[in-house]
Amino acid sequence: MSDAPDLPPKPRARAERVSLWRHMRLFRQDILSAQPARLYRAWMAEFRTPFFRSYLVNQPALVDEVLKARPMEFPKSDRVGEGLRPLLGRSVFLTNGAEWQRQRRIIDPAFEGGRLRDTFPAMWAAGEAAVARIGEGPREIEEDMSHAAADVIFRTLFSLPIEDEVASAVFHQFRAYQRSQPILNAAAFLPLPRWMPRGHRAQTRRTARAIRDLITRLTATRMAEIAAGTAPDDLATKIMTTADPVTGARFTTEEMVDQVAIFFLAGHETSASALGWALYLLARYPEWQEKLAEEAEAALSPGPDFAVMGKLRLARDVFRETLRLYPPVPMMVRETTRPERFRDRDLPVGSQIVLSPWHLHRHERLWENPDGFDPARWQTENGKTCLREAFVPFSAGARVCTGAGFAMVEGPLLLAMLVRAFRFERVAGRDPVPVAYLTVRARDGIWLMASRR
Ligand code: HEM
């Protein structure tokens, strides 16, 4: 951990030179502490393994090239999705090319700005439910935030609170899935040849099936409601009634199940991780927490109106700063489809391109005070430049997170509602240690003392 007492927790980097086998072992434990410190200063790094080459791209212009300029030439690597395929099928998160483009044409309209305003009352209701649910005393706050974020997804997608029997069953099965299915990206970095069978554990497959059965029930019911003209006007209805502007086709129930599974997974694990870290940072820097509580009290007292989002400036900056320091998706992987020349290196076809929000967000040559918590940075010149050029918690370009706008409403709103209601303090001896599982999480959870204001 970091030695400086005023900096938030950062995994200790590994030694500069280690053997491949040691690297693999470290990697299995945690992809963050498996990396050397020089990646916080490098523009690019190469990892040679006996089976494939992997390049970490850590320079804004190169990141833009891959994500924004030529995204179709850098598809997602198959390896990344391996652990998730039993659960996500052919969801938009895993597909590439024409299939992916078609799916985005149907999904994107549901997440446009105007629709966000429509989902706001459901988010507010989930925030109120979280405030009512959280008790006083020492708490593992990640668990609370998972619960709250799952509630947001069910309310906005299916107009159901998490207390609903099916919603609650999906939530619990997802937790089991996450436990049985370790690190998302490990397969993409581990130097295993493609022919080596990796297989999914029986438990993973069983849990995936149980989740998909439950989601199929929700989706089939909704199909029937749409046909009967009785469906509520929420995200699921919007997506299921949108025809592809090119082919005119809509999602079948099966296709919609794949998409619901990814909305649920991508939408609640990530937001929960960010909210948990945000509350920890506010507990660690109480002067910021007090400022935020004041802002929240003034902004939220008029009640649930989308206009409050314009007033939650500090909440937004705190949430942004959290996404910078603890990006829920720490790394992303793409593959080259033709020979590339990046900086002075030739990259063969089939190379893995690793984009690392974790390293880019703490890049020592780009950010002032890269490891410090400073929500005020976003008002400075350096902060504004880096926001444009070196801040990619939601990825960027055509394949940017569909839920980015959604998350930037949900995160600041829930943060403000929680800090308005509670004071959060650190629990002595229980500061969290960041590790990368499916998302960046705390190794032993995030323990905070909650007391009502
Ligand atoms: C703080 C919250 C969130 C963060 C940090 C986040 C981050 C990301 C990132 C980095 C990606 C790109 C992954 C890659 O290309 O390898 C992504 C993709 C995606 N996210 Fe999010 N996400 C968040 C919330 C949400 C929410 C709330 C939803 C939906 C309700 C969502 C749905 C998706 C989907 C469907 C994709 C796949 C897009 C595609 O590949 O075309 N995310 N997210």
PDB file of all heavy atoms in Angstrom, residues 279 282 285-301 311-312 314-315 318 412 415-424 451 453:
ATOM      1  N   LEU A 279     -17.784   6.685  -1.345  1.00  0.00           N
ATOM      2  CA  LEU A 279     -18.113   6.878   0.073  1.00  0.00           C
ATOM      3  C   LEU A 279     -16.870   6.695   0.938  1.00  0.00           C
ATOM      4  O   LEU A 279     -16.674   7.399   1.929  1.00  0.00           O
ATOM      5  CB  LEU A 279     -19.227   5.918   0.504  1.00  0.00           C
ATOM      6  CG  LEU A 279     -20.609   6.256  -0.082  1.00  0.00           C
ATOM      7  CD1 LEU A 279     -21.627   5.194   0.308  1.00  0.00           C
ATOM      8  CD2 LEU A 279     -21.074   7.643   0.373  1.00  0.00           C
ATOM      9  N   LEU A 282     -14.870   9.856   0.703  1.00  0.00           N
ATOM     10  CA  LEU A 282     -15.487  10.936   1.485  1.00  0.00           C
ATOM     11  C   LEU A 282     -15.275  10.716   2.981  1.00  0.00           C
ATOM     12  O   LEU A 282     -15.151  11.672   3.742  1.00  0.00           O
ATOM     13  CB  LEU A 282     -16.978  11.038   1.153  1.00  0.00           C
ATOM     14  CG  LEU A 282     -17.270  11.574  -0.251  1.00  0.00           C
ATOM     15  CD1 LEU A 282     -18.750  11.421  -0.597  1.00  0.00           C
ATOM     16  CD2 LEU A 282     -16.847  13.049  -0.372  1.00  0.00           C
ATOM     17  N   TYR A 285     -11.673  11.803   3.593  1.00  0.00           N
ATOM     18  CA  TYR A 285     -11.458  13.257   3.493  1.00  0.00           C
ATOM     19  C   TYR A 285     -12.736  13.962   3.943  1.00  0.00           C
ATOM     20  O   TYR A 285     -13.510  14.450   3.108  1.00  0.00           O
ATOM     21  CB  TYR A 285     -11.065  13.633   2.051  1.00  0.00           C
ATOM     22  CG  TYR A 285      -9.859  12.846   1.585  1.00  0.00           C
ATOM     23  CD1 TYR A 285      -9.997  11.743   0.743  1.00  0.00           C
ATOM     24  CD2 TYR A 285      -8.577  13.163   2.056  1.00  0.00           C
ATOM     25  CE1 TYR A 285      -8.892  10.987   0.361  1.00  0.00           C
ATOM     26  CE2 TYR A 285      -7.468  12.411   1.679  1.00  0.00           C
ATOM     27  CZ  TYR A 285      -7.637  11.327   0.838  1.00  0.00           C
ATOM     28  OH  TYR A 285      -6.549  10.575   0.478  1.00  0.00           O
ATOM     29  N   PRO A 286     -12.978  13.998   5.267  1.00  0.00           N
ATOM     30  CA  PRO A 286     -14.287  14.452   5.776  1.00  0.00           C
ATOM     31  C   PRO A 286     -14.612  15.895   5.409  1.00  0.00           C
ATOM     32  O   PRO A 286     -15.792  16.239   5.314  1.00  0.00           O
ATOM     33  CB  PRO A 286     -14.172  14.284   7.295  1.00  0.00           C
ATOM     34  CG  PRO A 286     -12.758  13.950   7.594  1.00  0.00           C
ATOM     35  CD  PRO A 286     -12.085  13.526   6.336  1.00  0.00           C
ATOM     36  N   GLU A 287     -13.583  16.716   5.146  1.00  0.00           N
ATOM     37  CA  GLU A 287     -13.917  18.102   4.778  1.00  0.00           C
ATOM     38  C   GLU A 287     -14.697  18.124   3.459  1.00  0.00           C
ATOM     39  O   GLU A 287     -15.622  18.922   3.287  1.00  0.00           O
ATOM     40  CB  GLU A 287     -12.666  18.993   4.743  1.00  0.00           C
ATOM     41  CG  GLU A 287     -11.572  18.644   3.734  1.00  0.00           C
ATOM     42  CD  GLU A 287     -10.718  17.400   4.095  1.00  0.00           C
ATOM     43  OE1 GLU A 287     -11.023  16.697   5.075  1.00  0.00           O
ATOM     44  OE2 GLU A 287      -9.745  17.123   3.352  1.00  0.00           O
ATOM     45  N   TRP A 288     -14.364  17.214   2.555  1.00  0.00           N
ATOM     46  CA  TRP A 288     -15.124  17.124   1.295  1.00  0.00           C
ATOM     47  C   TRP A 288     -16.526  16.565   1.556  1.00  0.00           C
ATOM     48  O   TRP A 288     -17.502  16.966   0.918  1.00  0.00           O
ATOM     49  CB  TRP A 288     -14.401  16.250   0.260  1.00  0.00           C
ATOM     50  CG  TRP A 288     -13.210  16.929  -0.347  1.00  0.00           C
ATOM     51  CD1 TRP A 288     -11.893  16.648  -0.121  1.00  0.00           C
ATOM     52  CD2 TRP A 288     -13.232  18.028  -1.275  1.00  0.00           C
ATOM     53  NE1 TRP A 288     -11.092  17.498  -0.860  1.00  0.00           N
ATOM     54  CE2 TRP A 288     -11.882  18.353  -1.574  1.00  0.00           C
ATOM     55  CE3 TRP A 288     -14.255  18.759  -1.872  1.00  0.00           C
ATOM     56  CZ2 TRP A 288     -11.542  19.378  -2.450  1.00  0.00           C
ATOM     57  CZ3 TRP A 288     -13.911  19.789  -2.748  1.00  0.00           C
ATOM     58  CH2 TRP A 288     -12.565  20.092  -3.027  1.00  0.00           C
ATOM     59  N   GLN A 289     -16.614  15.642   2.487  1.00  0.00           N
ATOM     60  CA  GLN A 289     -17.926  15.073   2.788  1.00  0.00           C
ATOM     61  C   GLN A 289     -18.871  16.162   3.327  1.00  0.00           C
ATOM     62  O   GLN A 289     -20.047  16.215   2.951  1.00  0.00           O
ATOM     63  CB  GLN A 289     -17.789  13.940   3.814  1.00  0.00           C
ATOM     64  CG  GLN A 289     -19.108  13.243   4.047  1.00  0.00           C
ATOM     65  CD  GLN A 289     -19.025  12.018   4.946  1.00  0.00           C
ATOM     66  OE1 GLN A 289     -20.045  11.484   5.335  1.00  0.00           O
ATOM     67  NE2 GLN A 289     -17.848  11.554   5.280  1.00  0.00           N
ATOM     68  N   GLU A 290     -18.331  17.018   4.193  1.00  0.00           N
ATOM     69  CA  GLU A 290     -19.191  18.071   4.754  1.00  0.00           C
ATOM     70  C   GLU A 290     -19.656  19.031   3.666  1.00  0.00           C
ATOM     71  O   GLU A 290     -20.817  19.425   3.629  1.00  0.00           O
ATOM     72  CB  GLU A 290     -18.462  18.822   5.880  1.00  0.00           C
ATOM     73  CG  GLU A 290     -18.245  17.979   7.133  1.00  0.00           C
ATOM     74  CD  GLU A 290     -19.489  17.170   7.538  1.00  0.00           C
ATOM     75  OE1 GLU A 290     -20.571  17.777   7.745  1.00  0.00           O
ATOM     76  OE2 GLU A 290     -19.403  15.933   7.619  1.00  0.00           O
ATOM     77  N   LYS A 291     -18.735  19.385   2.747  1.00  0.00           N
ATOM     78  CA  LYS A 291     -19.132  20.282   1.644  1.00  0.00           C
ATOM     79  C   LYS A 291     -20.222  19.640   0.797  1.00  0.00           C
ATOM     80  O   LYS A 291     -21.176  20.288   0.376  1.00  0.00           O
ATOM     81  CB  LYS A 291     -17.927  20.566   0.730  1.00  0.00           C
ATOM     82  CG  LYS A 291     -17.013  21.648   1.249  1.00  0.00           C
ATOM     83  CD  LYS A 291     -15.999  21.980   0.149  1.00  0.00           C
ATOM     84  CE  LYS A 291     -14.728  22.470   0.807  1.00  0.00           C
ATOM     85  NZ  LYS A 291     -13.578  22.568  -0.021  1.00  0.00           N
ATOM     86  N   LEU A 292     -20.057  18.345   0.559  1.00  0.00           N
ATOM     87  CA  LEU A 292     -21.030  17.650  -0.282  1.00  0.00           C
ATOM     88  C   LEU A 292     -22.387  17.549   0.433  1.00  0.00           C
ATOM     89  O   LEU A 292     -23.441  17.715  -0.188  1.00  0.00           O
ATOM     90  CB  LEU A 292     -20.506  16.250  -0.659  1.00  0.00           C
ATOM     91  CG  LEU A 292     -21.407  15.409  -1.554  1.00  0.00           C
ATOM     92  CD1 LEU A 292     -21.867  16.180  -2.777  1.00  0.00           C
ATOM     93  CD2 LEU A 292     -20.688  14.148  -2.008  1.00  0.00           C
ATOM     94  N   ALA A 293     -22.359  17.321   1.742  1.00  0.00           N
ATOM     95  CA  ALA A 293     -23.616  17.239   2.501  1.00  0.00           C
ATOM     96  C   ALA A 293     -24.361  18.572   2.411  1.00  0.00           C
ATOM     97  O   ALA A 293     -25.593  18.594   2.248  1.00  0.00           O
ATOM     98  CB  ALA A 293     -23.328  16.870   3.960  1.00  0.00           C
ATOM     99  N   GLU A 294     -23.612  19.676   2.462  1.00  0.00           N
ATOM    100  CA  GLU A 294     -24.250  21.006   2.346  1.00  0.00           C
ATOM    101  C   GLU A 294     -24.883  21.180   0.972  1.00  0.00           C
ATOM    102  O   GLU A 294     -26.015  21.628   0.846  1.00  0.00           O
ATOM    103  CB  GLU A 294     -23.200  22.108   2.516  1.00  0.00           C
ATOM    104  CG  GLU A 294     -23.055  22.597   3.934  1.00  0.00           C
ATOM    105  CD  GLU A 294     -21.860  23.541   4.054  1.00  0.00           C
ATOM    106  OE1 GLU A 294     -21.669  24.411   3.168  1.00  0.00           O
ATOM    107  OE2 GLU A 294     -21.098  23.359   5.030  1.00  0.00           O
ATOM    108  N   GLU A 295     -24.101  20.832  -0.061  1.00  0.00           N
ATOM    109  CA  GLU A 295     -24.632  20.954  -1.426  1.00  0.00           C
ATOM    110  C   GLU A 295     -25.893  20.104  -1.595  1.00  0.00           C
ATOM    111  O   GLU A 295     -26.895  20.549  -2.163  1.00  0.00           O
ATOM    112  CB  GLU A 295     -23.580  20.493  -2.449  1.00  0.00           C
ATOM    113  CG  GLU A 295     -24.112  20.483  -3.875  1.00  0.00           C
ATOM    114  CD  GLU A 295     -23.113  19.942  -4.891  1.00  0.00           C
ATOM    115  OE1 GLU A 295     -22.330  20.740  -5.433  1.00  0.00           O
ATOM    116  OE2 GLU A 295     -23.125  18.712  -5.165  1.00  0.00           O
ATOM    117  N   ALA A 296     -25.829  18.879  -1.065  1.00  0.00           N
ATOM    118  CA  ALA A 296     -26.953  17.947  -1.225  1.00  0.00           C
ATOM    119  C   ALA A 296     -28.194  18.484  -0.523  1.00  0.00           C
ATOM    120  O   ALA A 296     -29.303  18.440  -1.068  1.00  0.00           O
ATOM    121  CB  ALA A 296     -26.574  16.579  -0.664  1.00  0.00           C
ATOM    122  N   GLU A 297     -28.018  19.004   0.677  1.00  0.00           N
ATOM    123  CA  GLU A 297     -29.164  19.529   1.427  1.00  0.00           C
ATOM    124  C   GLU A 297     -29.850  20.645   0.624  1.00  0.00           C
ATOM    125  O   GLU A 297     -31.070  20.658   0.465  1.00  0.00           O
ATOM    126  CB  GLU A 297     -28.679  20.041   2.794  1.00  0.00           C
ATOM    127  CG  GLU A 297     -29.767  20.600   3.692  1.00  0.00           C
ATOM    128  CD  GLU A 297     -30.890  19.606   3.967  1.00  0.00           C
ATOM    129  OE1 GLU A 297     -30.624  18.396   4.018  1.00  0.00           O
ATOM    130  OE2 GLU A 297     -32.062  20.054   4.109  1.00  0.00           O
ATOM    131  N   ALA A 298     -29.041  21.549   0.079  1.00  0.00           N
ATOM    132  CA  ALA A 298     -29.620  22.673  -0.665  1.00  0.00           C
ATOM    133  C   ALA A 298     -30.261  22.192  -1.969  1.00  0.00           C
ATOM    134  O   ALA A 298     -31.351  22.620  -2.330  1.00  0.00           O
ATOM    135  CB  ALA A 298     -28.537  23.701  -0.966  1.00  0.00           C
ATOM    136  N   ALA A 299     -29.599  21.261  -2.662  1.00  0.00           N
ATOM    137  CA  ALA A 299     -30.088  20.869  -3.996  1.00  0.00           C
ATOM    138  C   ALA A 299     -31.287  19.935  -3.932  1.00  0.00           C
ATOM    139  O   ALA A 299     -32.180  20.006  -4.777  1.00  0.00           O
ATOM    140  CB  ALA A 299     -28.957  20.201  -4.779  1.00  0.00           C
ATOM    141  N   LEU A 300     -31.303  19.038  -2.937  1.00  0.00           N
ATOM    142  CA  LEU A 300     -32.305  17.966  -2.958  1.00  0.00           C
ATOM    143  C   LEU A 300     -33.599  18.312  -2.222  1.00  0.00           C
ATOM    144  O   LEU A 300     -34.609  17.641  -2.420  1.00  0.00           O
ATOM    145  CB  LEU A 300     -31.718  16.681  -2.359  1.00  0.00           C
ATOM    146  CG  LEU A 300     -30.479  16.109  -3.059  1.00  0.00           C
ATOM    147  CD1 LEU A 300     -29.995  14.851  -2.348  1.00  0.00           C
ATOM    148  CD2 LEU A 300     -30.767  15.795  -4.524  1.00  0.00           C
ATOM    149  N   SER A 301     -33.571  19.351  -1.386  1.00  0.00           N
ATOM    150  CA  SER A 301     -34.788  19.588  -0.588  1.00  0.00           C
ATOM    151  C   SER A 301     -36.041  19.851  -1.420  1.00  0.00           C
ATOM    152  O   SER A 301     -37.129  19.458  -0.988  1.00  0.00           O
ATOM    153  CB  SER A 301     -34.573  20.655   0.493  1.00  0.00           C
ATOM    154  OG  SER A 301     -33.649  21.591   0.096  1.00  0.00           O
ATOM    155  N   LYS A 311     -27.500  21.147 -10.115  1.00  0.00           N
ATOM    156  CA  LYS A 311     -26.999  21.754  -8.869  1.00  0.00           C
ATOM    157  C   LYS A 311     -26.012  20.851  -8.139  1.00  0.00           C
ATOM    158  O   LYS A 311     -25.348  21.290  -7.215  1.00  0.00           O
ATOM    159  CB  LYS A 311     -28.178  22.060  -7.951  1.00  0.00           C
ATOM    160  CG  LYS A 311     -29.158  23.037  -8.566  1.00  0.00           C
ATOM    161  CD  LYS A 311     -30.193  23.454  -7.545  1.00  0.00           C
ATOM    162  CE  LYS A 311     -31.320  24.222  -8.216  1.00  0.00           C
ATOM    163  NZ  LYS A 311     -32.630  23.759  -7.784  1.00  0.00           N
ATOM    164  N   LEU A 312     -25.963  19.602  -8.526  1.00  0.00           N
ATOM    165  CA  LEU A 312     -25.071  18.664  -7.818  1.00  0.00           C
ATOM    166  C   LEU A 312     -23.671  18.675  -8.445  1.00  0.00           C
ATOM    167  O   LEU A 312     -23.150  17.636  -8.853  1.00  0.00           O
ATOM    168  CB  LEU A 312     -25.673  17.253  -7.826  1.00  0.00           C
ATOM    169  CG  LEU A 312     -26.970  17.086  -7.024  1.00  0.00           C
ATOM    170  CD1 LEU A 312     -27.521  15.664  -7.171  1.00  0.00           C
ATOM    171  CD2 LEU A 312     -26.745  17.412  -5.539  1.00  0.00           C
ATOM    172  N   LEU A 314     -20.635  19.449  -7.076  1.00  0.00           N
ATOM    173  CA  LEU A 314     -19.569  18.810  -6.309  1.00  0.00           C
ATOM    174  C   LEU A 314     -19.773  17.286  -6.306  1.00  0.00           C
ATOM    175  O   LEU A 314     -18.802  16.528  -6.420  1.00  0.00           O
ATOM    176  CB  LEU A 314     -19.528  19.358  -4.879  1.00  0.00           C
ATOM    177  CG  LEU A 314     -18.441  18.737  -4.008  1.00  0.00           C
ATOM    178  CD1 LEU A 314     -17.052  18.909  -4.613  1.00  0.00           C
ATOM    179  CD2 LEU A 314     -18.480  19.353  -2.600  1.00  0.00           C
ATOM    180  N   ALA A 315     -21.030  16.875  -6.212  1.00  0.00           N
ATOM    181  CA  ALA A 315     -21.299  15.431  -6.254  1.00  0.00           C
ATOM    182  C   ALA A 315     -20.749  14.850  -7.558  1.00  0.00           C
ATOM    183  O   ALA A 315     -20.135  13.780  -7.570  1.00  0.00           O
ATOM    184  CB  ALA A 315     -22.800  15.171  -6.136  1.00  0.00           C
ATOM    185  N   VAL A 318     -16.893  14.779  -7.332  1.00  0.00           N
ATOM    186  CA  VAL A 318     -16.428  13.706  -6.437  1.00  0.00           C
ATOM    187  C   VAL A 318     -16.576  12.365  -7.144  1.00  0.00           C
ATOM    188  O   VAL A 318     -15.685  11.507  -7.102  1.00  0.00           O
ATOM    189  CB  VAL A 318     -17.212  13.718  -5.107  1.00  0.00           C
ATOM    190  CG1 VAL A 318     -16.989  12.433  -4.320  1.00  0.00           C
ATOM    191  CG2 VAL A 318     -16.824  14.932  -4.266  1.00  0.00           C
ATOM    192  N   PRO A 412     -23.805  10.524  -9.004  1.00  0.00           N
ATOM    193  CA  PRO A 412     -23.879  11.751  -8.192  1.00  0.00           C
ATOM    194  C   PRO A 412     -25.179  11.851  -7.394  1.00  0.00           C
ATOM    195  O   PRO A 412     -25.181  12.302  -6.255  1.00  0.00           O
ATOM    196  CB  PRO A 412     -23.792  12.863  -9.242  1.00  0.00           C
ATOM    197  CG  PRO A 412     -23.030  12.243 -10.379  1.00  0.00           C
ATOM    198  CD  PRO A 412     -23.455  10.810 -10.401  1.00  0.00           C
ATOM    199  N   LEU A 415     -25.038   9.387  -4.421  1.00  0.00           N
ATOM    200  CA  LEU A 415     -24.019   9.885  -3.492  1.00  0.00           C
ATOM    201  C   LEU A 415     -24.586  11.039  -2.668  1.00  0.00           C
ATOM    202  O   LEU A 415     -24.459  11.070  -1.429  1.00  0.00           O
ATOM    203  CB  LEU A 415     -22.829  10.365  -4.329  1.00  0.00           C
ATOM    204  CG  LEU A 415     -21.467  10.372  -3.693  1.00  0.00           C
ATOM    205  CD1 LEU A 415     -21.152   9.017  -3.091  1.00  0.00           C
ATOM    206  CD2 LEU A 415     -20.429  10.737  -4.756  1.00  0.00           C
ATOM    207  N   ALA A 416     -25.211  11.978  -3.341  1.00  0.00           N
ATOM    208  CA  ALA A 416     -25.764  13.145  -2.645  1.00  0.00           C
ATOM    209  C   ALA A 416     -26.857  12.713  -1.663  1.00  0.00           C
ATOM    210  O   ALA A 416     -26.912  13.193  -0.522  1.00  0.00           O
ATOM    211  CB  ALA A 416     -26.315  14.137  -3.666  1.00  0.00           C
ATOM    212  N   MET A 417     -27.732  11.807  -2.088  1.00  0.00           N
ATOM    213  CA  MET A 417     -28.827  11.370  -1.202  1.00  0.00           C
ATOM    214  C   MET A 417     -28.272  10.663   0.037  1.00  0.00           C
ATOM    215  O   MET A 417     -28.765  10.851   1.150  1.00  0.00           O
ATOM    216  CB  MET A 417     -29.798  10.461  -1.966  1.00  0.00           C
ATOM    217  CG  MET A 417     -30.582  11.214  -3.040  1.00  0.00           C
ATOM    218  SD  MET A 417     -31.683  10.152  -4.016  1.00  0.00           S
ATOM    219  CE  MET A 417     -33.182  10.205  -3.010  1.00  0.00           C
ATOM    220  N   LEU A 418     -27.239   9.874  -0.145  1.00  0.00           N
ATOM    221  CA  LEU A 418     -26.668   9.116   0.982  1.00  0.00           C
ATOM    222  C   LEU A 418     -25.940  10.041   1.960  1.00  0.00           C
ATOM    223  O   LEU A 418     -26.100   9.924   3.181  1.00  0.00           O
ATOM    224  CB  LEU A 418     -25.706   8.040   0.457  1.00  0.00           C
ATOM    225  CG  LEU A 418     -26.382   6.883  -0.286  1.00  0.00           C
ATOM    226  CD1 LEU A 418     -25.371   6.072  -1.084  1.00  0.00           C
ATOM    227  CD2 LEU A 418     -27.129   5.976   0.705  1.00  0.00           C
ATOM    228  N   VAL A 419     -25.168  10.976   1.400  1.00  0.00           N
ATOM    229  CA  VAL A 419     -24.372  11.851   2.283  1.00  0.00           C
ATOM    230  C   VAL A 419     -25.272  12.897   2.957  1.00  0.00           C
ATOM    231  O   VAL A 419     -24.967  13.391   4.034  1.00  0.00           O
ATOM    232  CB  VAL A 419     -23.231  12.496   1.462  1.00  0.00           C
ATOM    233  CG1 VAL A 419     -22.568  13.615   2.232  1.00  0.00           C
ATOM    234  CG2 VAL A 419     -22.200  11.430   1.109  1.00  0.00           C
ATOM    235  N   ARG A 420     -26.376  13.191   2.333  1.00  0.00           N
ATOM    236  CA  ARG A 420     -27.339  14.087   2.979  1.00  0.00           C
ATOM    237  C   ARG A 420     -27.937  13.404   4.213  1.00  0.00           C
ATOM    238  O   ARG A 420     -28.219  14.038   5.225  1.00  0.00           O
ATOM    239  CB  ARG A 420     -28.444  14.419   1.979  1.00  0.00           C
ATOM    240  CG  ARG A 420     -29.464  15.391   2.510  1.00  0.00           C
ATOM    241  CD  ARG A 420     -30.636  15.471   1.542  1.00  0.00           C
ATOM    242  NE  ARG A 420     -31.613  16.450   1.958  1.00  0.00           N
ATOM    243  CZ  ARG A 420     -32.871  16.429   1.571  1.00  0.00           C
ATOM    244  NH1 ARG A 420     -33.292  15.476   0.740  1.00  0.00           N
ATOM    245  NH2 ARG A 420     -33.711  17.341   1.996  1.00  0.00           N
ATOM    246  N   ALA A 421     -28.143  12.092   4.119  1.00  0.00           N
ATOM    247  CA  ALA A 421     -28.803  11.360   5.207  1.00  0.00           C
ATOM    248  C   ALA A 421     -27.833  10.854   6.276  1.00  0.00           C
ATOM    249  O   ALA A 421     -28.192  10.749   7.449  1.00  0.00           O
ATOM    250  CB  ALA A 421     -29.580  10.178   4.624  1.00  0.00           C
ATOM    251  N   PHE A 422     -26.605  10.506   5.856  1.00  0.00           N
ATOM    252  CA  PHE A 422     -25.665   9.849   6.780  1.00  0.00           C
ATOM    253  C   PHE A 422     -24.328  10.576   6.840  1.00  0.00           C
ATOM    254  O   PHE A 422     -23.908  11.196   5.857  1.00  0.00           O
ATOM    255  CB  PHE A 422     -25.340   8.419   6.310  1.00  0.00           C
ATOM    256  CG  PHE A 422     -26.502   7.481   6.328  1.00  0.00           C
ATOM    257  CD1 PHE A 422     -27.237   7.254   5.168  1.00  0.00           C
ATOM    258  CD2 PHE A 422     -26.857   6.809   7.494  1.00  0.00           C
ATOM    259  CE1 PHE A 422     -28.302   6.377   5.181  1.00  0.00           C
ATOM    260  CE2 PHE A 422     -27.916   5.923   7.505  1.00  0.00           C
ATOM    261  CZ  PHE A 422     -28.654   5.710   6.346  1.00  0.00           C
ATOM    262  N   ARG A 423     -23.639  10.409   7.966  1.00  0.00           N
ATOM    263  CA  ARG A 423     -22.212  10.745   8.030  1.00  0.00           C
ATOM    264  C   ARG A 423     -21.461   9.405   7.958  1.00  0.00           C
ATOM    265  O   ARG A 423     -21.804   8.459   8.679  1.00  0.00           O
ATOM    266  CB  ARG A 423     -21.894  11.476   9.320  1.00  0.00           C
ATOM    267  CG  ARG A 423     -20.415  11.752   9.515  1.00  0.00           C
ATOM    268  CD  ARG A 423     -20.130  12.709  10.653  1.00  0.00           C
ATOM    269  NE  ARG A 423     -20.615  14.063  10.369  1.00  0.00           N
ATOM    270  CZ  ARG A 423     -21.635  14.647  10.994  1.00  0.00           C
ATOM    271  NH1 ARG A 423     -22.289  14.006  11.946  1.00  0.00           N
ATOM    272  NH2 ARG A 423     -22.004  15.871  10.671  1.00  0.00           N
ATOM    273  N   PHE A 424     -20.469   9.313   7.067  1.00  0.00           N
ATOM    274  CA  PHE A 424     -19.689   8.079   6.928  1.00  0.00           C
ATOM    275  C   PHE A 424     -18.281   8.307   7.466  1.00  0.00           C
ATOM    276  O   PHE A 424     -17.647   9.315   7.137  1.00  0.00           O
ATOM    277  CB  PHE A 424     -19.620   7.652   5.456  1.00  0.00           C
ATOM    278  CG  PHE A 424     -20.957   7.239   4.893  1.00  0.00           C
ATOM    279  CD1 PHE A 424     -21.739   8.149   4.175  1.00  0.00           C
ATOM    280  CD2 PHE A 424     -21.454   5.955   5.101  1.00  0.00           C
ATOM    281  CE1 PHE A 424     -22.979   7.774   3.669  1.00  0.00           C
ATOM    282  CE2 PHE A 424     -22.694   5.581   4.597  1.00  0.00           C
ATOM    283  CZ  PHE A 424     -23.467   6.486   3.884  1.00  0.00           C
ATOM    284  N   SER A 451     -23.616   6.929  10.439  1.00  0.00           N
ATOM    285  CA  SER A 451     -24.533   7.455  11.457  1.00  0.00           C
ATOM    286  C   SER A 451     -25.446   8.495  10.809  1.00  0.00           C
ATOM    287  O   SER A 451     -24.998   9.248   9.932  1.00  0.00           O
ATOM    288  CB  SER A 451     -23.764   8.048  12.634  1.00  0.00           C
ATOM    289  OG  SER A 451     -22.666   8.793  12.171  1.00  0.00           O
ATOM    290  N   ARG A 453     -27.456  11.756  10.059  1.00  0.00           N
ATOM    291  CA  ARG A 453     -27.207  13.176  10.374  1.00  0.00           C
ATOM    292  C   ARG A 453     -28.397  13.755  11.111  1.00  0.00           C
ATOM    293  O   ARG A 453     -29.518  13.378  10.855  1.00  0.00           O
ATOM    294  CB  ARG A 453     -26.986  13.951   9.074  1.00  0.00           C
ATOM    295  CG  ARG A 453     -25.638  13.672   8.463  1.00  0.00           C
ATOM    296  CD  ARG A 453     -25.417  14.517   7.228  1.00  0.00           C
ATOM    297  NE  ARG A 453     -24.184  14.127   6.580  1.00  0.00           N
ATOM    298  CZ  ARG A 453     -22.990  14.690   6.822  1.00  0.00           C
ATOM    299  NH1 ARG A 453     -22.873  15.676   7.667  1.00  0.00           N
ATOM    300  NH2 ARG A 453     -21.906  14.257   6.189  1.00  0.00           N
TER     301      ARG A 453
END
